[in-house]
Amino acid sequence: MTSPHQRPLFRPSVSSRLSIAISTHSAEAGEAQHEDGEQIDEEIEEIRRYEDFTTIDWVQDAARAQLQRRIQKRKEGYYVRTNWRRKLWLSYDAGQAWIVISLIGVCIGLNASFLNIVTEWLSDIKLGHCSTAFYLNENFCCWGAEDGCPEWKTWSTVWPVNYLLYILFSILFAYTSAILVKSFAPYAAGSGISEIKCILAGFVMKGFLSGWTLLIKSIGLPLAIASGLSVGKEGPSVHYAVCTGNVISRFFEKYRKNAAKTREILSACAAAGVAVAFGSPIGGVLFSLEEMSSNFPLKTMWRSYFCALVATAVLAAMNPFRTGQLVMFQVTYDRDWHFFEVVFFIIIGIFGGLYGEFVIKWNLRAQSFRKKYLKQWAIAEATFLAGITAVICYSNMFLRIDMTESMEILFHECEGGHDYNGLCESSRRWHMVTSLTFATVVRVFLVIISYGCKVPAGIFVPSMAIGASFGRTVGILVQALHEAVPNSRFFASCEPDMPCITPGTYAFLGAAAALSGIMHITVSVVVIMFELTGALTYILPTMIVVGVTKAVSDRFGKAGIADRMIWFNGFPFLDNKEDHSFGVPVSHVMNQELTVLPSTGMAIREVETILESTEFQGFPIVQDRNSKLLIGYINRTELKYGIDRAKRERTIPPTSRCYFLAPDQTQTPASTVGMTIASSRPFSSGSSSLSLDFARYIDPTPLTVHPRLPLETVMEIFKKVGPRVMLVEHRGKLSGVVTRKDVLKFQFKVENRENPRDDSAEVGREEKLWGIIVRVSLWLRRKVLRQEAPPAGERIRESDAQDGLLDVEASSMDLELGERR
């Protein structure tokens, strides 16, 4: 027989090891002493609940899920002859996923309807009110009227008063939204797409999908949009949809205790969020597949489709706009396009790619400045931005109104009475070009400084509004060119005495280009824009524009703003879309400074010291510290639970010995007299000492790789299989451990070496800008409060201005803390 202290040098391959980890380990964990073992497993499961700011180990999660199913079957008498109640319960259990998906879809649809109605009313209340019913917005108050109605009244007949009230309403809405976020749910700030991508990949962020976050996001989002800030609701729609799915699924034990099944639900919710935001169920499913999910099997696709279908059906039944449309900017085109317009489509596509890279670059710099200097003044910053936006935008008719309403106007054809303040009049053409160009430039600047402030904020709609205004400008210029030289050979395909150019389609294509450029998505954009218009004839132009945008975006950058925000916040996320070629083995990346536990003879006092002094999420088990012959692996949660459980049952002396032998190796050491280790109990006592046995908590087959295995293969294992940690061993001896964070550190190091950056100039500019802001704020404060200037020689240092900064950067939580192994 093999001695418990000997271990064969041969170890199974990675694939066989995975199957062992899922089947053998879970099977061995509870065969003996079923009742006691099941109680232990359930208690560990309750304690574990996936520690905050760690990555879920999907291999262990699958093993625990299988074990939980076996425990549940024993409890319910699975092997006993079933009756009709049992059959009914099995039917309910089998269909539980569809019940949960249906409930979630209904709630998402109802929430989206509520947000649409409230947002439209709050946006209009800044300009006036309905004299017959104060709760009606302008469209409902003047239902059926084309150019306003007597029932809708502005706040005053004097325009400066209206201007002042417009600014005050904007400031009030932004202040309310920001203070709600800071006081009750910091996670409700921002878009949430970056964090949800990491959560779907296995990163745990407790509270990000909580009920409080859902409530504050749903209340703060309409306020933030109505404040006039250059932010949108489409990104936050994904966040509140996923929050809805998380909250509802927690009422069902199947999803509360299984992260893999919960991930399926959350992926479906992300699709439903995009579906209700754009009125595009198929586009929502493709968006979840293309952008959100790192793991998207066929079962998840079908559930995502069903959830998006239910949510969209509820939204259509609610009919929030009372027009039969799911979104405000839904239009229909009945005029065909011409091949000579491909030249202008390419120009729009180039603009989309350049816009995306320009905004991503400068927005990240703005985010860096905000994170460094403005954390304490998150509420003041959002309020100030809303005030400045209102001051600038009131004078421009395309900036003054809500962005979705602006897109609806820009998308429409000129025929059919769709004229807005002379947008379609030839006599006002150059005025409109100037106004649209101004709106495009100003909106780009406002998006850069507004996206990321501490209110619920998305970037989809602002980007689409920018693309629409640019596209409409191009369309008007092309129309003017055609009217100037109608007989040119370039326009030979145009029919005489018939409208040839449709500027609204250029706005539509510009919106698609900007959305593709900022997010680096392609297929889902085409489908979303097609579902918005229902125009089959414009699928090819949309594909051309998005293809050009993609080519330009890939030339200047490699990821959209969601992925760049993940990098900026330091989340441990490995992108499936990236291909790497490092040419080094995993031994170049692994961590060799190890904290290991010898399999026998370690005092309980030493184990507790290790737990207190380290934050590692697990510890390799070796035969002894000298040989480092690998025995297994134990998670921190199981180890701490085993110690606490033993202490609850009796007093444990600090000198008690711990044994970390795999279940099949649990034998009494030959050198120990009067000591028996019983795997069914956490401890055993002899005549002179006490020993603790942690055999049942050991993973005897941890995922291991060879030191010479290429790093690219290790990254693929992390992406596809999803372990939290991999052990590196050579001929049975432990060489090191590697985590996602180790791989990402090496990746960033290589990228910085290949593309070195000198940030000193940028830091200097940030410090100068901060100094100007401090001096201006102090000057304004003295003017407002009529205070005297500070004594000569008194200066405010930047360090003083930053004292007491409160970190409400809930989306990042400074991962310099690190993903604990």
Side-chain angles (χ1 to χ4, degrees), residues 196-403:
I196 292 172
K197 286 187 68 172
C198 296
I199 290 172
L200 291 177
F203 189 59
V204 180
M205 298 179 67
K206 291 185 178 179
F208 191 82
L209 303 178
S210 65
W212 267 113
T213 303
L214 171 61
L215 178 63
I216 299 302
K217 193 93 173 184
S218 300
I219 297 174
L221 181 58
L223 291 168
I225 297 173
S227 69
L229 287 169
S230 294
V231 297
K233 66 178 180 179
E234 274 62 21
S237 295
V238 176
H239 189 184
Y240 75 69
V242 176
C243 285
T244 303
N246 182 68
V247 171
I248 293 178
S249 65
R250 291 300 175 191
F251 289 103
F252 297 84
E253 186 177 5
K254 176 189 290 188
Y255 300 100
R256 188 169 62 249
K257 293 187 175 182
N258 191 324
K261 290 186 177 297
T262 303
R263 178 165 64 169
E264 297 176 4
I265 297 294
L266 299 185
S267 298
C269 295
V274 175
V276 296
F278 290 106
S280 172
I282 305 299
V285 175
L286 291 177
F287 178 84
S288 181
L289 170 62
E290 184 177 3
E291 179 66 14
M292 299 301 298
S293 301
S294 57
N295 183 20
F296 205 85
L298 185 61
K299 179 175 63 174
T300 302
M301 177 178 287
W302 171 229
R303 289 178 179 172
S304 300
Y305 171 77
F306 186 75
C307 188
L309 174 64
V310 173
T312 309
V314 171
L315 181 63
M318 294 295 294
N319 195 13
F321 302 111
R322 293 296 183 267
T323 58
Q325 297 178 351
L326 297 176
V327 290
M328 187 181 293
F329 46 85
Q330 189 170 359
V331 292
T332 303
Y333 296 121
D334 53 9
R335 190 180 301 158
D336 205 349
W337 59 283
H338 307 277
F339 273 100
F340 69 82
E341 293 180 278
V342 171
V343 176
F344 306 108
F345 296 162
I346 293 175
I347 293 175
I348 292 175
I350 294 173
F351 167 80
L354 295 177
Y355 158 79
E357 292 310 308
F358 179 81
V359 170
I360 290 172
K361 175 183 177 180
W362 288 100
N363 179 256
L364 288 178
R365 292 190 178 183
Q367 297 275 36
S368 176
F369 181 84
R370 176 180 290 117
K371 188 174 184 179
K372 188 175 181 181
Y373 296 109
L374 301 178
K375 292 178 182 178
Q376 182 180 3
W377 296 279
I379 298 175
E381 181 203 0
T383 307
F384 176 77
L385 287 175
I388 290 296
T389 302
V391 170
I392 297 175
C393 295
Y394 187 81
S395 60
N396 186 279
M397 58 183 177
F398 297 108
L399 296 175
R400 182 170 59 246
I401 59 178
D402 183 67
M403 283 180 286

Side-chain angles (χ1 to χ4, degrees), residues 558 749-758:
K558 62 178 182 179
K749 188 184 300 182
V750 171
E751 291 176 352
N752 291 333
R753 187 168 61 245
E754 294 176 351
N755 302 291
R757 287 184 54 189
D758 184 10

Side-chain angles (χ1 to χ4, degrees), residues 426-606:
S426 301
S427 59
R428 292 177 56 86
R429 179 171 292 159
W430 299 111
H431 171 74
M432 287 298 162
V433 168
T434 304
S435 181
L436 286 169
T437 303
F438 176 79
T440 303
V441 175
V442 170
R443 186 75 76 188
V444 169
F445 171 74
L446 293 176
V447 166
I448 289 173
I449 63 175
S450 299
Y451 181 69
C453 66
K454 299 310 174 188
V455 294
I459 202 171
F460 284 23
V461 165
S463 297
M464 293 176 70
I466 291 168
S469 58
F470 176 82
R472 186 79 183 205
T473 304
V474 174
I476 292 174
L477 293 176
V478 175
Q479 188 179 45
L481 179 64
H482 170 254
E483 292 179 2
V485 286
N487 297 322
S488 171
R489 292 183 61 183
F490 187 75
F491 300 107
S493 59
C494 293
E495 298 181 9
D497 302 325
M498 291 289 291
C500 181
I501 306 299
T502 308
T505 60
Y506 288 77
F508 160 79
L509 295 173
L515 179 57
S516 176
I518 198 68
M519 293 299 296
H520 281 229
I521 52 178
T522 53
V523 179
S524 52
V525 171
V526 175
V527 175
I528 287 172
M529 302 309 290
F530 162 66
E531 289 186 278
L532 280 176
T533 61
L536 284 169
T537 53
Y538 279 88
I539 286 185
L540 184 57
T542 307
M543 294 176 67
I544 293 173
V545 168
V546 170
V548 173
T549 300
K550 175 67 172 174
V552 174
S553 298
D554 289 344
R555 173 63 180 82
F556 293 99
K558 62 178 182 179
I561 193 166
D563 295 316
R564 302 280 269 277
M565 286 302 298
I566 292 174
W567 167 82
F568 177 78
N569 291 325
F571 294 138
F573 178 77
L574 291 171
D575 195 350
N576 286 332
K577 298 188 288 289
E578 291 186 10
D579 294 324
H580 303 282
S581 179
F582 298 114
V584 298
V586 69
S587 58
H588 280 59
V589 179
M590 68 183 183
N591 185 359
Q592 297 179 342
E593 297 179 3
L594 304 176
T595 301
V596 298
L597 303 178
S599 60
T600 58
M602 192 175 189
I604 186 69
R605 177 173 49 200
E606 297 179 57

